[in-house]
Amino acid sequence: MLLAYPFRVLVPRRAAPEAATSMAVALLLLAGAADLVPTSVVIALAAGAGATLAGLRLSRLATRRGTDPTPRVVGVLLDAAVVAAGLTAVVLPLADIGHTPAVLIGSLVVAVLSTTSLCRLPGRSQPAASARLRWLVESAGPAVGLALAGWLVLPRNGQPVPVRLVCALALGGLGMAALNAFAGPRRRSAAAVCRGGVLLTVGGLVLLATLPPAPAGRVALLAVPPLVFGMLLVAVGAADAADDAEPAEPVAAAWPRAVLPAAVLLLASGLHLGAGRAPDRTSVLLALAAVPPLVLRELLRANDAATSGRRAAHRRPAGRALQHRRAASGRWPGAPEPPPEREPGVPEGAATAMGAGPTWSPDHGSAWSGLNRRPAAASGGTGDRAALLDALAAIGDVPAPAGALLLVDLHGTDGVGPTAREDVLAEAVHRARAVIAPDDLVAGCTGSGFAVVTAAGPVLAYALGTRLLSALSPPYRLAGAMLRVQTSIGLAEVGGAGPADVLRQAELARRRAVQLGRDRVEWYDAFLEEQLVRRLDLERELPGAVARGELDLVYQPVVDLADGQPVGAEALLRWRSPVLGTVLPAELLPVAEDLDLVGELEWWVLDRACRQLSDWSVGVRELWMAVNVTTRELTTPDFVQRLAAVLAAYGVPPERLVVEVSEPRVAGDLPTVVARLAGLRSLGVRTALDDFRAEHASLAQLRRLPIDLLKVGPELVGARPDGQPPLIDVVVNVGERLGVEIVAEELESSTQVEGARRGGCRYGQGFALARPATAERVEAYFEEFPSASR
């Protein structure tokens, strides 16, 4: 039972065969421990069963169809690895070369095959070098502790000291790596499950090589649980990684990695002392070896705390130094004598907004504008960058530098003409001056924005950015009309980088703010730069993906909560890029929207989904297929006619197709959305409203929309913090009055499933019921329910 429990935690539903096999292995272990079954028979049967089931799982992955060959390659390599592990445990110990060398050779083969496959596994992340170094430091101490536990527990008879020491060190390293996989930031991701399974499998083989051969006693049974459990996890994790079935769980469970090694070491020490054995020289050396990593870890933590403290302490001295240096000259350090108040040809409003101080023009031969700049549209732009670099360098000259650069960009002024655009920028700068500190620098940066250099630390600078957003958001009056603009602000900390690097970092942060929807402040960090590079790669590779055959669909079944029978499936897009790996819709669709490729992708999805639905409609099963459509594509004039042509081309009954549209986006063009949904219903196609929120506006809007299904998230199913009944009761009551069926989606636990069923939802969808999978695997899932027909 204990061996089967982790499958219910890591992979809720579709690992039922693995859980049953684990229970059978547990019974075998109990029989072997009671001397009812010989130890060698237990090892052979358990390893054979685990390798057989895992091999069958992986062989399906190795023979799957699709345009991306990566899952097939991974399946072949991992299939060979688990077969080698099974043969090592069952056959090689009988070879003439001896028990330990045979198992160690098999372990090496398994390790090589597994490592090669893990390098190609979808979902595998590449942390930065600093993060990998920190991981090694954090893991070294506990790993040495586990190695010491292995040294104390492993039998001393029959094994040379070097072999026993190598095996103990291997067990310590493998054990700590497995703990990091199962308790790290992505501990429930498919890649982590597969990686942890490989580590457990190799660890079990190392135990099998170190412990006395089976006829010598029952101690060899200790190698069975990690060996079998590891092989089964390899198969389940690899299959899920190939289907991108990864629940997002970014928070690491830190306590197992700290507590479990200490608990194992305490238990091993107790057994060692209880057996009347005194500590030997090797155990003392291992104990001493654990000290340096622990000291280094504490030094790193102390350095982090000291760095934070220095930044906080330097914030005020830097601000005072900046203020004193400017007060001495009446302008920023290094600024030339101020030229005339306003150049000929500069708009009065711009000069007034920027202030009555010095300005810059190419004729003056200076790259500095002091605290007051006019817009780049009037100055040409080159001097703006130079002025910013001078200001950032001036902050860098202050002892213990502290400060930040904010790049502000205004959106929505492209169609108003250059004069009106300068008026908007002048008013924006005027508003900015009302919220910034007197010593902060305002400088023109581009024709649609400006920069603010402040001596405040990063936290205060971020607060300044939010105040700027609030100040710049009200409409701007232009010739009797009101113009609304959006604002994007990028923030970079000054200190530790050159002026050009600070400017580049702030620009990257500003671009990220634009990508995330504008009207926001984004703070630069290294991860943000990685995201931007990833975004540029996506924008480069996405055009032509349809023509290159790189798109794929996976399908997530929808079940009737009353009897558990599948009633349909939702088609989910995957981009299998040979350059970028598998890209999910959450990352893909925003890029497609910016590149105006959403229509091309959505019609590909509709065509492929209808073709698959035609294949599934053969026979008596009547399942429906749900496809997501954006409101932008739904509201095109010919959407209904084009969809009717696709249905006719594949002979799909219209009532088998469900078109889903996201509720938060329908309000933008509600009359047109209502008309298109009505046209689909007249065609016979069913319609669904996705991402429904139980708000007053949403409930009022629901009455106008001609829909058949309403999809709600798990947040409406659970009890509310104030003790009130779940909101699903309200939604179900409204749905019943309107004749709308309720679908609870994203159900990831049995508690959520039960709450949805109890709340009156007819249908359910989520990892707790069935995970997204390829068409072949979903077909196999449907075959388990021969009576499924809705």
Side-chain angles (χ1 to χ4, degrees), residues 59 90 93 172 197 231 272 274 304 326 331 350 374 383 392 415 437-438 444 523 531 574 627 647 656:
S59 64
V90 177
M231 288 190 291
H272 185 79
D304 293 341
R326 181 177 178 268
R331 59 188 185 276
R374 62 187 178 86
L392 297 172
W523 193 338
Q531 289 180 307
R574 298 291 186 267
V627 179
L647 292 172
R656 302 278 186 87

Side-chain angles (χ1 to χ4, degrees), residues 518-536:
R518 303 174 181 177
D519 285 329
R520 61 189 299 131
V521 182
E522 281 298 311
W523 193 338
Y524 171 84
D525 57 28
F527 177 66
L528 181 147
E529 187 162 3
E530 293 177 4
Q531 289 180 307
L532 287 170
V533 172
R534 170 77 171 178
R535 174 69 179 234
L536 293 175

Side-chain angles (χ1 to χ4, degrees), residues 218-277:
R218 290 169 290 178
V219 69
L221 294 176
L222 293 174
V224 173
L227 178 62
V228 176
F229 185 40
M231 288 190 291
L232 297 180
L233 281 181
V234 167
V236 174
D240 286 350
D243 292 333
D244 309 305
E246 296 195 29
E249 190 161 349
V251 181
W255 69 266
R257 293 177 288 173
V259 174
L260 289 181
V264 171
L265 181 56
L266 280 176
L267 179 61
S269 301
L271 294 175
H272 185 79
L273 295 175
R277 300 173 183 170

Side-chain angles (χ1 to χ4, degrees), residues 567-652:
V567 297
E570 180 180 359
L572 302 173
L573 178 63
R574 298 291 186 267
W575 176 21
R576 315 287 188 185
S577 170
V579 177
L580 305 174
T582 299
V583 184
L584 303 183
E587 187 180 22
L588 166 62
L589 293 180
V591 179
E593 289 181 355
D594 288 346
L595 298 179
D596 199 21
L597 296 175
V598 173
E600 179 183 3
L601 299 183
E602 289 189 344
W603 281 108
W604 181 91
V605 172
L606 281 167
D607 182 87
R608 182 61 59 90
C610 289
R611 186 174 74 180
Q612 185 61 60
L613 184 58
S614 176
D615 295 340
W616 285 348
S617 299
V618 177
V620 298
R621 183 176 288 112
E622 297 181 357
L623 301 164
W624 41 265
M625 179 81 75
V627 179
N628 291 278
V629 175
T630 61
T631 55
R632 178 179 177 180
E633 194 62 30
L634 177 68
T635 54
T636 55
D638 61 342
F639 180 83
V640 177
Q641 292 78 5
R642 292 180 66 184
L643 183 58
V646 173
L647 292 172
Y650 292 107
V652 174

Side-chain angles (χ1 to χ4, degrees), residues 333-350:
E337 290 299 321
E341 233 179 49
R342 182 166 62 91
E343 297 177 40
V346 177
E348 182 75 30

Side-chain angles (χ1 to χ4, degrees), residues 485-517:
V485 302
Q486 292 179 294
T487 306
S488 302
I489 301 178
L491 188 155
E493 185 178 357
V494 177
D501 287 334
V502 174
L503 187 57
R504 179 185 62 83
Q505 292 169 1
E507 173 61 20
L508 290 175
R510 185 201 62 79
R511 291 181 59 185
R512 185 60 175 169
V514 174
Q515 292 174 358
L516 294 178

